[in-house]
Amino acid sequence: MNILIFGIGALGTVYACFLKKKGHRVIGLSKKPVQEAVRENGVQVTGIWGEHHAVLDEVVTGVDKISDAKLDLVIVTVKSYDTEKAAAEIAGILSTDTYVVLAQNGYGNFEAAAKHIPENRLILGRVIFGAETIGLGMSKVTVIADDVIFGSPKNLIDHCKVEQFVAVCNEAGIPTRFSKQVMKYVWGKIIYNSALNSLGAILEVNYGKLAEVEHSRKLMESVIGEIFTVLKRIGQEMLWPNSEAYIKDFYEKLVPPTAMHHPSMLQDIQRGKRTEIDALNGAVVEMGKKYGVSTPVNDIIVSLVKAKEKMSLLRK
Amino acid sequence: MNILIFGIGALGTVYACFLKKKGHRVIGLSKKPVQEAVRENGVQVTGIWGEHHAVLDEVVTGVDKISDAKLDLVIVTVKSYDTEKAAAEIAGILSTDTYVVLAQNGYGNFEAAAKHIPENRLILGRVIFGAETIGLGMSKVTVIADDVIFGSPKNLIDHCKVEQFVAVCNEAGIPTRFSKQVMKYVWGKIIYNSALNSLGAILEVNYGKLAEVEHSRKLMESVIGEIFTVLKRIGQEMLWPNSEAYIKDFYEKLVPPTAMHHPSMLQDIQRGKRTEIDALNGAVVEMGKKYGVSTPVNDIIVSLVKAKEKMSLLRK
């Protein structure tokens, strides 16, 4: 297959490396410093899935630089606030056989991409293994909580077509499965991240510590409760019947395997980068405003993360 | 005068040193390590009021150890959560001529002390100069925003009696004045601290930075707004007609001289000590609950500070 990995960050590096090793033609797209490093040294993956290295067929800084842009699959791994820009670029090289997988964090990626790419070409991915950047084009896989889920949010793509891409990923060594209810899985992850990633970034602790202390537990439960109320209001079904059921799973099943995980938003803040807060608690607050649901805890968390973001930039 | 300084921390060191240098008989009371250091080396003050040193007449760990406990004045400088315990101790040595000044932070000190000491012996102080502990019995005065205010909250003490203690402090070099409305001044400081000290402890920045960034400004204004609503509900008058007037003064007059000040609650957390959050935003939340006023921002701030407190202890 001809595959473009749009964004060679922590996640894109893993996809590029594993798909290339399986023999596909893999093109990487990234900003200048990463592009140069990956062109020179290839991509490298370490961590729980072993040591891997691959040299990509091409590494470019824009889709117009691709020598032969007849693509079967584009996997988008840019930050959520860059999704729309990436989608606009991809739209320019979309052939009748190209499908696009959105493998990012947070709410709004599908909606942003659909402004430029037909919905019957967009596959939404729920990625729930953890990868950290340890260098340019170098990633460490730290944890896997469940398979990646691929699906068409409104089931506008033939099931067999999606299964084809699911098989490609599985064969390459990235556990993946199809679901007709991908949006439910994506929301599950948004809730998980809105509770742990944001509060962990504010308090500068790992996920386990947040679940250990009474006052941070109370705050996380409020975050989760508010999101369930918003989702109920908009009619979005969930994998859990109510927030109590989610909270039980959260402490018993979701947090323990990721207890040592450090919040990616804290890493973003410490590096003076923008966080994905707008696609997490921020998206919940916006939905709450639109549908008349009060979300004070998520609102204050957004303000605190944004204040930290800004203060970190002022220090630079 | 015979004066007992109950607590030789940052503030108590300043009072002990200046009053002793003026020639009063000054007894210090503190916990063991401080008591030993002060008995050995005296008290020392540095910073904007110059370099000072004094040897106290006595330094004890409990009121029962004082050789001659006929006191004119007791100045209480312990943390707000220790006020009631201190008051119970002081009650045991209260003679008919002893007055007690509460020179602490937050709401609830007068109420706690009044459980053991008659209200017509209790003078409430609003201290708004900044002192930091730089060693045992060693303080640095960093900033002064206004005179100390002394007063009897319900004006149960003869004006002239309070003025006598005001004069003692002024002559010793600590700018002080009397007010019939001391509670209004104390609330002004509680609001100031609830906005700056708590958020500064959460975000780990100085006061100036909080006033510089849009999102922390928004949070501080919410904190202030909620407190004004609670105070209006309980009928507590203020020095400002409404929160808008306070917020204007806050940015224009109160924050600028203290822009470089680092939150004392952050210092407490970093030292693994308990903060005074219960006497600041915590007191507001409790009043809000009691009188049916919603205070979500103060509530979340309390949870975050307490989570940080606990996490810091877990790290020790």
Side-chain angles (χ1 to χ4, degrees):
Chain A
M1 272 197 184
N2 286 313
I3 303 172
L4 171 64
I5 310 294
F6 202 109
I8 307 291
L11 188 64
T13 296
V14 177
Y15 272 99
C17 188
F18 280 48
L19 290 166
K20 183 62 232 173
K21 278 191 83 176
K22 193 63 197 170
H24 299 286
R25 177 170 169 255
V26 175
I27 304 157
L29 187 151
S30 198
K31 283 181 194 143
K32 201 75 188 173
V34 178
Q35 181 238 9
E36 283 173 350
V38 172
R39 192 175 266 177
E40 186 89 4
N41 310 315
V43 283
Q44 203 178 308
V45 175
T46 180
I48 56 168
W49 290 348
E51 306 288 320
H52 303 273
H53 177 258
V55 175
L56 305 187
D57 295 283
E58 271 183 78
V59 195
V60 297
T61 55
V63 294
D64 54 317
K65 309 282 200 318
I66 301 172
S67 61
D68 174 8
K70 207 188 157 320
L71 300 166
D72 300 295
L73 181 63
V74 180
I75 301 179
V76 182
T77 62
V78 298
K79 294 279 188 185
S80 53
Y81 45 79
D82 283 331
T83 301
E84 192 178 337
K85 211 168 118 247
E89 250 197 89
I90 293 162
I93 55 156
L94 211 67
S95 79
T96 47
D97 304 316
T98 313
Y99 287 83
V100 178
V101 169
L102 303 168
Q104 303 142 284
N105 255 332
Y107 179 79
N109 293 300
F110 181 79
E111 294 69 14
K115 292 184 188 167
H116 302 283
I117 298 170
E119 293 192 357
N120 63 4
R121 304 294 191 76
L122 285 175
I123 296 166
L124 193 53
R126 191 272 334 239
V127 178
I128 202 154
F129 64 84
E132 289 174 11
T133 300
I134 54 171
L136 301 180
M138 295 162 74
S139 274
K140 184 181 176 184
V141 180
T142 54
V143 65
I144 173 160
D146 189 10
D147 295 347
V148 174
I149 306 280
F150 278 4
S152 162
K154 299 174 190 166
N155 293 297
L156 303 174
I157 305 174
D158 182 53
H159 172 191
C160 299
K161 190 74 212 173
V162 182
E163 285 284 15
Q164 204 179 315
F165 298 119
V166 166
V168 163
C169 292
N170 274 317
E171 285 157 14
I174 301 172
T176 306
R177 68 178 192 269
F178 168 79
S179 171
K180 277 190 171 170
Q181 313 188 311
V182 65
M183 215 50 217
K184 289 188 185 174
Y185 286 92
V186 167
W187 269 111
K189 192 186 171 200
I190 295 169
I191 298 174
Y192 170 89
N193 259 310
S194 296
L196 293 161
N197 203 333
S198 316
L199 266 176
I202 293 166
L203 293 168
E204 307 198 358
V205 291
N206 66 28
Y207 289 3
K209 197 70 89 190
L210 291 171
E212 196 180 333
V213 170
E214 177 202 344
H215 291 95
S216 41
R217 285 172 76 97
K218 184 187 130 191
L219 287 168
M220 291 195 294
E221 290 160 24
S222 300
V223 166
I224 294 166
E226 288 180 4
I227 302 180
F228 266 86
T229 307
V230 170
L231 294 181
K232 198 173 174 190
R233 176 70 185 75
I234 66 170
Q236 171 67 52
E237 287 187 4
M238 290 296 297
L239 295 169
W240 297 264
N242 52 45
S243 63
E244 290 72 23
Y246 183 89
I247 288 167
K248 190 170 182 298
D249 258 18
F250 181 76
Y251 289 126
E252 289 177 7
K253 296 184 195 161
L254 305 179
V255 176
T258 55
M260 300 306 289
H261 188 70
H262 282 274
S264 65
M265 287 206 280
L266 178 57
Q267 293 172 39
D268 293 335
I269 289 169
Q270 286 166 342
R271 288 172 187 159
K273 285 170 139 189
R274 186 173 164 189
T275 70
E276 295 189 291
I277 188 75
D278 283 332
L280 297 170
N281 312 72
V284 172
V285 171
E286 286 310 309
M287 282 186 176
K289 273 187 200 156
K290 199 168 159 188
Y291 294 94
V293 179
S294 161
T295 56
V297 181
N298 280 283
D299 196 12
I300 292 162
I301 284 172
V302 170
S303 293
L304 285 168
V305 169
K306 290 196 170 185
K308 263 190 106 137
E309 239 177 48
K310 188 67 189 295
M311 285 162 184
S312 166
L313 288 174
L314 289 173
R315 258 195 287 270
K316 281 190 93 175
Chain B
M1 272 200 187
N2 286 313
I3 303 171
L4 170 65
I5 311 295
F6 201 107
I8 308 291
L11 188 64
T13 295
V14 176
Y15 272 100
C17 188
F18 279 48
L19 290 166
K20 182 63 233 171
K21 277 192 82 174
K22 193 65 197 171
H24 300 286
R25 176 169 170 254
V26 175
I27 304 157
L29 185 151
S30 198
K31 283 182 194 141
K32 201 74 188 173
V34 178
Q35 181 238 10
E36 284 174 349
V38 172
R39 190 176 267 177
E40 186 88 7
N41 310 314
V43 284
Q44 202 178 310
V45 175
T46 178
I48 57 169
W49 290 347
E51 306 289 319
H52 304 270
H53 178 257
V55 175
L56 306 187
D57 295 283
E58 270 184 80
V59 196
V60 297
T61 55
V63 294
D64 54 317
K65 309 283 200 317
I66 301 171
S67 61
D68 174 8
K70 207 190 158 317
L71 300 166
D72 301 294
L73 181 64
V74 181
I75 301 180
V76 182
T77 63
V78 298
K79 294 278 188 186
S80 52
Y81 45 79
D82 283 331
T83 301
E84 192 177 336
K85 211 168 118 248
E89 251 197 89
I90 293 162
I93 55 157
L94 212 65
S95 80
T96 48
D97 304 315
T98 315
Y99 287 83
V100 178
V101 168
L102 303 168
Q104 304 142 284
N105 254 332
Y107 179 80
N109 293 301
F110 181 79
E111 293 70 13
K115 293 183 187 169
H116 302 282
I117 299 170
E119 293 191 359
N120 63 3
R121 304 294 190 77
L122 283 174
I123 296 166
L124 192 53
R126 191 266 341 233
V127 178
I128 202 154
F129 64 83
E132 289 174 13
T133 300
I134 53 171
L136 302 180
M138 295 164 73
S139 274
K140 184 180 175 185
V141 179
T142 54
V143 65
I144 174 161
D146 189 10
D147 294 348
V148 175
I149 305 281
F150 277 4
S152 161
K154 300 173 188 167
N155 294 297
L156 303 174
I157 305 174
D158 182 54
H159 172 191
C160 299
K161 189 74 212 170
V162 182
E163 286 283 15
Q164 203 179 315
F165 297 118
V166 166
V168 163
C169 291
N170 273 318
E171 285 158 15
I174 301 172
T176 307
R177 67 176 193 271
F178 167 78
S179 171
K180 277 190 170 170
Q181 314 188 310
V182 64
M183 215 50 215
K184 289 189 186 176
Y185 286 92
V186 167
W187 268 112
K189 191 185 171 199
I190 294 170
I191 298 175
Y192 170 89
N193 258 311
S194 296
L196 293 161
N197 204 333
S198 316
L199 266 177
I202 292 167
L203 292 169
E204 308 198 356
V205 292
N206 65 27
Y207 289 3
K209 197 70 88 189
L210 290 172
E212 195 180 334
V213 170
E214 178 202 344
H215 292 96
S216 41
R217 286 172 76 98
K218 185 187 128 190
L219 286 168
M220 293 195 294
E221 290 162 24
S222 300
V223 166
I224 294 166
E226 288 180 3
I227 302 179
F228 266 86
T229 307
V230 170
L231 294 181
K232 199 174 173 188
R233 176 71 185 72
I234 66 170
Q236 172 65 51
E237 286 186 6
M238 292 295 299
L239 296 168
W240 296 265
N242 52 44
S243 63
E244 291 73 23
Y246 182 89
I247 288 168
K248 190 170 183 297
D249 258 18
F250 181 76
Y251 289 127
E252 288 176 7
K253 295 183 195 161
L254 305 179
V255 175
T258 55
M260 301 305 289
H261 188 70
H262 281 274
S264 65
M265 287 205 280
L266 178 57
Q267 293 171 40
D268 293 335
I269 289 169
Q270 286 166 342
R271 289 171 188 160
K273 286 171 138 187
R274 186 173 163 191
T275 70
E276 294 188 293
I277 189 74
D278 283 332
L280 298 170
N281 312 74
V284 172
V285 171
E286 286 310 309
M287 283 186 174
K289 273 187 201 157
K290 199 169 159 188
Y291 293 95
V293 179
S294 160
T295 56
V297 181
N298 281 282
D299 196 12
I300 292 163
I301 283 171
V302 170
S303 292
L304 285 168
V305 169
K306 290 197 168 185
K308 262 188 107 136
E309 240 177 46
K310 188 67 189 296
M311 284 164 186
S312 166
L313 288 174
L314 289 173
R315 257 194 288 272
K316 280 190 96 176

